[in-house]
mmCIF file of all heavy atoms in Angstrom:
data_model
loop_
_atom_site.group_PDB
_atom_site.id
_atom_site.type_symbol
_atom_site.label_atom_id
_atom_site.label_comp_id
_atom_site.label_asym_id
_atom_site.label_seq_id
_atom_site.Cartn_x
_atom_site.Cartn_y
_atom_site.Cartn_z
ATOM 1 N N MET A 1238 -83.796 -110.939 -139.697
ATOM 2 C CA MET A 1238 -83.727 -109.471 -139.604
ATOM 3 C C MET A 1238 -83.996 -109.077 -138.155
ATOM 4 O O MET A 1238 -84.910 -109.609 -137.522
ATOM 5 C CB MET A 1238 -84.753 -108.807 -140.518
ATOM 6 C CG MET A 1238 -84.702 -107.281 -140.493
ATOM 7 S SD MET A 1238 -83.142 -106.586 -141.093
ATOM 8 C CE MET A 1238 -83.302 -106.857 -142.864
ATOM 9 N N ALA A 1239 -83.174 -108.184 -137.642
ATOM 10 C CA ALA A 1239 -83.337 -107.745 -136.256
ATOM 11 C C ALA A 1239 -82.943 -106.286 -136.113
ATOM 12 O O ALA A 1239 -82.097 -105.773 -136.856
ATOM 13 C CB ALA A 1239 -82.485 -108.605 -135.319
ATOM 14 N N ALA A 1240 -83.552 -105.643 -135.154
ATOM 15 C CA ALA A 1240 -83.114 -104.317 -134.736
ATOM 16 C C ALA A 1240 -82.020 -104.547 -133.707
ATOM 17 O O ALA A 1240 -82.252 -105.182 -132.686
ATOM 18 C CB ALA A 1240 -84.276 -103.543 -134.124
ATOM 19 N N TRP A 1241 -80.799 -104.082 -133.997
ATOM 20 C CA TRP A 1241 -79.694 -104.337 -133.080
ATOM 21 C C TRP A 1241 -79.129 -103.036 -132.510
ATOM 22 O O TRP A 1241 -79.334 -101.954 -133.040
ATOM 23 C CB TRP A 1241 -78.588 -105.150 -133.757
ATOM 24 C CG TRP A 1241 -78.024 -104.544 -135.015
ATOM 25 C CD1 TRP A 1241 -78.336 -104.874 -136.295
ATOM 26 C CD2 TRP A 1241 -77.038 -103.493 -135.102
ATOM 27 N NE1 TRP A 1241 -77.616 -104.100 -137.181
ATOM 28 C CE2 TRP A 1241 -76.809 -103.248 -136.482
ATOM 29 C CE3 TRP A 1241 -76.324 -102.742 -134.161
ATOM 30 C CZ2 TRP A 1241 -75.896 -102.295 -136.932
ATOM 31 C CZ3 TRP A 1241 -75.421 -101.769 -134.606
ATOM 32 C CH2 TRP A 1241 -75.221 -101.568 -135.976
ATOM 33 N N ARG A 1242 -78.390 -103.188 -131.430
ATOM 34 C CA ARG A 1242 -77.778 -102.050 -130.755
ATOM 35 C C ARG A 1242 -76.391 -102.436 -130.262
ATOM 36 O O ARG A 1242 -76.198 -103.548 -129.761
ATOM 37 C CB ARG A 1242 -78.636 -101.604 -129.567
ATOM 38 C CG ARG A 1242 -80.088 -101.259 -129.944
ATOM 39 C CD ARG A 1242 -80.936 -100.993 -128.707
ATOM 40 N NE ARG A 1242 -82.289 -100.609 -129.073
ATOM 41 C CZ ARG A 1242 -83.371 -101.381 -128.877
ATOM 42 N NH1 ARG A 1242 -83.242 -102.582 -128.325
ATOM 43 N NH2 ARG A 1242 -84.564 -100.948 -129.229
ATOM 44 N N GLY A 1243 -75.457 -101.517 -130.382
ATOM 45 C CA GLY A 1243 -74.104 -101.783 -129.923
ATOM 46 C C GLY A 1243 -73.390 -100.512 -129.525
ATOM 47 O O GLY A 1243 -73.763 -99.413 -129.955
ATOM 48 N N ILE A 1244 -72.365 -100.649 -128.723
ATOM 49 C CA ILE A 1244 -71.605 -99.495 -128.261
ATOM 50 C C ILE A 1244 -70.406 -99.268 -129.180
ATOM 51 O O ILE A 1244 -69.652 -100.196 -129.476
ATOM 52 C CB ILE A 1244 -71.113 -99.693 -126.812
ATOM 53 C CG1 ILE A 1244 -72.305 -99.955 -125.882
ATOM 54 C CG2 ILE A 1244 -70.333 -98.468 -126.340
ATOM 55 C CD1 ILE A 1244 -73.305 -98.818 -125.798
ATOM 56 N N VAL A 1245 -70.260 -98.031 -129.614
ATOM 57 C CA VAL A 1245 -69.158 -97.643 -130.498
ATOM 58 C C VAL A 1245 -68.517 -96.366 -129.968
ATOM 59 O O VAL A 1245 -69.040 -95.715 -129.065
ATOM 60 C CB VAL A 1245 -69.646 -97.415 -131.947
ATOM 61 C CG1 VAL A 1245 -70.260 -98.675 -132.528
ATOM 62 C CG2 VAL A 1245 -70.644 -96.254 -132.002
ATOM 63 N N ALA A 1246 -67.380 -96.026 -130.552
ATOM 64 C CA ALA A 1246 -66.685 -94.782 -130.217
ATOM 65 C C ALA A 1246 -66.237 -94.129 -131.516
ATOM 66 O O ALA A 1246 -66.279 -94.768 -132.575
ATOM 67 C CB ALA A 1246 -65.485 -95.078 -129.321
ATOM 68 N N PRO A 1247 -65.809 -92.883 -131.457
ATOM 69 C CA PRO A 1247 -65.269 -92.257 -132.672
ATOM 70 C C PRO A 1247 -64.078 -93.064 -133.198
ATOM 71 O O PRO A 1247 -63.413 -93.788 -132.450
ATOM 72 C CB PRO A 1247 -64.829 -90.873 -132.190
ATOM 73 C CG PRO A 1247 -65.673 -90.608 -130.989
ATOM 74 C CD PRO A 1247 -65.852 -91.934 -130.332
ATOM 75 N N LYS A 1248 -63.811 -92.918 -134.452
ATOM 76 C CA LYS A 1248 -62.688 -93.604 -135.081
ATOM 77 C C LYS A 1248 -61.373 -93.129 -134.459
ATOM 78 O O LYS A 1248 -61.172 -91.938 -134.263
ATOM 79 C CB LYS A 1248 -62.682 -93.281 -136.577
ATOM 80 C CG LYS A 1248 -61.865 -94.241 -137.420
ATOM 81 C CD LYS A 1248 -62.675 -95.452 -137.793
ATOM 82 C CE LYS A 1248 -61.938 -96.273 -138.841
ATOM 83 N NZ LYS A 1248 -62.615 -97.552 -139.081
ATOM 84 N N GLY A 1249 -60.499 -94.085 -134.134
ATOM 85 C CA GLY A 1249 -59.154 -93.725 -133.708
ATOM 86 C C GLY A 1249 -58.962 -93.421 -132.242
ATOM 87 O O GLY A 1249 -58.008 -92.723 -131.887
ATOM 88 N N ILE A 1250 -59.809 -93.932 -131.349
ATOM 89 C CA ILE A 1250 -59.582 -93.685 -129.924
ATOM 90 C C ILE A 1250 -58.339 -94.450 -129.463
ATOM 91 O O ILE A 1250 -57.944 -95.436 -130.089
ATOM 92 C CB ILE A 1250 -60.807 -94.065 -129.063
ATOM 93 C CG1 ILE A 1250 -61.046 -95.582 -129.072
ATOM 94 C CG2 ILE A 1250 -62.042 -93.318 -129.508
ATOM 95 C CD1 ILE A 1250 -62.062 -96.035 -128.036
ATOM 96 N N PRO A 1251 -57.714 -94.018 -128.372
ATOM 97 C CA PRO A 1251 -56.507 -94.704 -127.878
ATOM 98 C C PRO A 1251 -56.775 -96.184 -127.603
ATOM 99 O O PRO A 1251 -57.865 -96.563 -127.158
ATOM 100 C CB PRO A 1251 -56.183 -93.950 -126.583
ATOM 101 C CG PRO A 1251 -56.790 -92.601 -126.772
ATOM 102 C CD PRO A 1251 -58.044 -92.830 -127.552
ATOM 103 N N ALA A 1252 -55.771 -97.003 -127.845
ATOM 104 C CA ALA A 1252 -55.913 -98.455 -127.645
ATOM 105 C C ALA A 1252 -56.272 -98.784 -126.200
ATOM 106 O O ALA A 1252 -57.058 -99.706 -125.935
ATOM 107 C CB ALA A 1252 -54.618 -99.159 -128.037
ATOM 108 N N GLU A 1253 -55.710 -98.016 -125.249
ATOM 109 C CA GLU A 1253 -56.003 -98.266 -123.840
ATOM 110 C C GLU A 1253 -57.492 -98.098 -123.555
ATOM 111 O O GLU A 1253 -58.112 -98.919 -122.865
ATOM 112 C CB GLU A 1253 -55.200 -97.312 -122.956
ATOM 113 C CG GLU A 1253 -55.448 -97.526 -121.462
ATOM 114 C CD GLU A 1253 -54.813 -96.462 -120.591
ATOM 115 O OE1 GLU A 1253 -54.301 -95.470 -121.148
ATOM 116 O OE2 GLU A 1253 -54.832 -96.617 -119.361
ATOM 117 N N ALA A 1254 -58.087 -97.021 -124.090
ATOM 118 C CA ALA A 1254 -59.512 -96.768 -123.888
ATOM 119 C C ALA A 1254 -60.352 -97.834 -124.577
ATOM 120 O O ALA A 1254 -61.312 -98.367 -124.012
ATOM 121 C CB ALA A 1254 -59.872 -95.384 -124.417
ATOM 122 N N ARG A 1255 -60.001 -98.152 -125.820
ATOM 123 C CA ARG A 1255 -60.738 -99.169 -126.572
ATOM 124 C C ARG A 1255 -60.733 -100.503 -125.829
ATOM 125 O O ARG A 1255 -61.775 -101.139 -125.661
ATOM 126 C CB ARG A 1255 -60.103 -99.345 -127.941
ATOM 127 C CG ARG A 1255 -60.766 -100.408 -128.832
ATOM 128 C CD ARG A 1255 -59.835 -100.820 -129.951
ATOM 129 N NE ARG A 1255 -58.628 -101.460 -129.407
ATOM 130 C CZ ARG A 1255 -57.440 -101.422 -129.978
ATOM 131 N NH1 ARG A 1255 -57.236 -100.731 -131.090
ATOM 132 N NH2 ARG A 1255 -56.411 -102.054 -129.416
ATOM 133 N N ASP A 1256 -59.568 -100.923 -125.369
ATOM 134 C CA ASP A 1256 -59.458 -102.224 -124.707
ATOM 135 C C ASP A 1256 -60.198 -102.258 -123.383
ATOM 136 O O ASP A 1256 -60.855 -103.251 -123.052
ATOM 137 C CB ASP A 1256 -57.986 -102.580 -124.496
ATOM 138 C CG ASP A 1256 -57.237 -102.805 -125.804
ATOM 139 O OD1 ASP A 1256 -57.910 -102.955 -126.845
ATOM 140 O OD2 ASP A 1256 -55.986 -102.813 -125.787
ATOM 141 N N LYS A 1257 -60.099 -101.163 -122.622
ATOM 142 C CA LYS A 1257 -60.772 -101.143 -121.322
ATOM 143 C C LYS A 1257 -62.289 -101.146 -121.491
ATOM 144 O O LYS A 1257 -63.014 -101.853 -120.779
ATOM 145 C CB LYS A 1257 -60.334 -99.916 -120.518
ATOM 146 C CG LYS A 1257 -60.871 -99.924 -119.093
ATOM 147 C CD LYS A 1257 -59.963 -99.174 -118.139
ATOM 148 C CE LYS A 1257 -60.355 -99.429 -116.692
ATOM 149 N NZ LYS A 1257 -59.408 -98.779 -115.753
ATOM 150 N N LEU A 1258 -62.779 -100.373 -122.439
ATOM 151 C CA LEU A 1258 -64.224 -100.304 -122.667
ATOM 152 C C LEU A 1258 -64.757 -101.626 -123.222
ATOM 153 O O LEU A 1258 -65.804 -102.118 -122.780
ATOM 154 C CB LEU A 1258 -64.539 -99.157 -123.630
ATOM 155 C CG LEU A 1258 -64.369 -97.747 -123.063
ATOM 156 C CD1 LEU A 1258 -64.399 -96.717 -124.183
ATOM 157 C CD2 LEU A 1258 -65.446 -97.446 -122.021
ATOM 158 N N SER A 1259 -64.066 -102.214 -124.172
ATOM 159 C CA SER A 1259 -64.557 -103.459 -124.764
ATOM 160 C C SER A 1259 -64.513 -104.602 -123.754
ATOM 161 O O SER A 1259 -65.416 -105.443 -123.717
ATOM 162 C CB SER A 1259 -63.750 -103.823 -126.014
ATOM 163 O OG SER A 1259 -62.383 -104.005 -125.708
ATOM 164 N N THR A 1260 -63.493 -104.626 -122.908
ATOM 165 C CA THR A 1260 -63.419 -105.649 -121.852
ATOM 166 C C THR A 1260 -64.559 -105.486 -120.866
ATOM 167 O O THR A 1260 -65.186 -106.465 -120.444
ATOM 168 C CB THR A 1260 -62.065 -105.554 -121.111
ATOM 169 O OG1 THR A 1260 -61.008 -105.818 -122.035
ATOM 170 C CG2 THR A 1260 -61.998 -106.568 -119.985
ATOM 171 N N ALA A 1261 -64.855 -104.239 -120.504
ATOM 172 C CA ALA A 1261 -65.954 -103.961 -119.570
ATOM 173 C C ALA A 1261 -67.298 -104.373 -120.169
ATOM 174 O O ALA A 1261 -68.147 -104.961 -119.492
ATOM 175 C CB ALA A 1261 -65.969 -102.481 -119.212
ATOM 176 N N LEU A 1262 -67.497 -104.087 -121.464
ATOM 177 C CA LEU A 1262 -68.764 -104.440 -122.110
ATOM 178 C C LEU A 1262 -68.964 -105.953 -122.193
ATOM 179 O O LEU A 1262 -70.082 -106.451 -122.042
ATOM 180 C CB LEU A 1262 -68.822 -103.822 -123.510
ATOM 181 C CG LEU A 1262 -69.019 -102.310 -123.550
ATOM 182 C CD1 LEU A 1262 -68.799 -101.776 -124.955
ATOM 183 C CD2 LEU A 1262 -70.420 -101.940 -123.057
ATOM 184 N N LYS A 1263 -67.893 -106.676 -122.426
ATOM 185 C CA LYS A 1263 -67.989 -108.139 -122.459
ATOM 186 C C LYS A 1263 -68.439 -108.670 -121.103
ATOM 187 O O LYS A 1263 -69.285 -109.567 -121.013
ATOM 188 C CB LYS A 1263 -66.640 -108.743 -122.841
ATOM 189 C CG LYS A 1263 -66.662 -110.272 -122.945
ATOM 190 C CD LYS A 1263 -65.317 -110.828 -123.394
ATOM 191 C CE LYS A 1263 -65.387 -112.351 -123.528
ATOM 192 N NZ LYS A 1263 -64.077 -112.898 -123.980
ATOM 193 N N LYS A 1264 -67.876 -108.103 -120.046
ATOM 194 C CA LYS A 1264 -68.247 -108.510 -118.686
ATOM 195 C C LYS A 1264 -69.693 -108.143 -118.384
ATOM 196 O O LYS A 1264 -70.441 -108.932 -117.779
ATOM 197 C CB LYS A 1264 -67.302 -107.840 -117.687
ATOM 198 C CG LYS A 1264 -67.479 -108.324 -116.259
ATOM 199 C CD LYS A 1264 -66.426 -107.717 -115.351
ATOM 200 C CE LYS A 1264 -66.606 -108.191 -113.903
ATOM 201 N NZ LYS A 1264 -65.573 -107.575 -113.019
ATOM 202 N N ILE A 1265 -70.103 -106.954 -118.818
ATOM 203 C CA ILE A 1265 -71.482 -106.507 -118.590
ATOM 204 C C ILE A 1265 -72.479 -107.416 -119.293
ATOM 205 O O ILE A 1265 -73.506 -107.808 -118.729
ATOM 206 C CB ILE A 1265 -71.643 -105.053 -119.067
ATOM 207 C CG1 ILE A 1265 -70.914 -104.102 -118.117
ATOM 208 C CG2 ILE A 1265 -73.126 -104.660 -119.177
ATOM 209 C CD1 ILE A 1265 -70.774 -102.687 -118.632
ATOM 210 N N ALA A 1266 -72.187 -107.765 -120.559
ATOM 211 C CA ALA A 1266 -73.106 -108.592 -121.338
ATOM 212 C C ALA A 1266 -73.313 -109.964 -120.715
ATOM 213 O O ALA A 1266 -74.355 -110.596 -120.923
ATOM 214 C CB ALA A 1266 -72.585 -108.737 -122.766
ATOM 215 N N ALA A 1267 -72.336 -110.415 -119.934
ATOM 216 C CA ALA A 1267 -72.443 -111.722 -119.283
ATOM 217 C C ALA A 1267 -72.966 -111.625 -117.854
ATOM 218 O O ALA A 1267 -73.193 -112.646 -117.199
ATOM 219 C CB ALA A 1267 -71.079 -112.402 -119.276
ATOM 220 N N SER A 1268 -73.175 -110.396 -117.377
ATOM 221 C CA SER A 1268 -73.550 -110.204 -115.978
ATOM 222 C C SER A 1268 -74.999 -110.571 -115.686
ATOM 223 O O SER A 1268 -75.873 -110.497 -116.551
ATOM 224 C CB SER A 1268 -73.307 -108.752 -115.563
ATOM 225 O OG SER A 1268 -74.246 -107.884 -116.183
#
C-alpha cells in the first residue's frame, strides 16, 4: 500500500498535447 501521485489531464485532450506532456514527464522522472 502506498500513497501515490501522478499527472493527469481532463478526458479527451488533443493527442499532440497528451504526447508532448507524457514524453516530457518521462524525461523528468529520469532526470
Side-chain angles (χ1 to χ4, degrees):
M1238 182 63 74
W1241 56 260
R1242 304 173 177 110
I1244 303 298
V1245 299
K1248 198 85 170 172
I1250 67 169
E1253 181 188 8
R1255 179 198 64 210
D1256 294 346
K1257 187 152 192 176
L1258 289 167
S1259 60
T1260 298
L1262 288 169
K1263 182 177 182 179
K1264 187 175 179 181
I1265 288 168
S1268 71

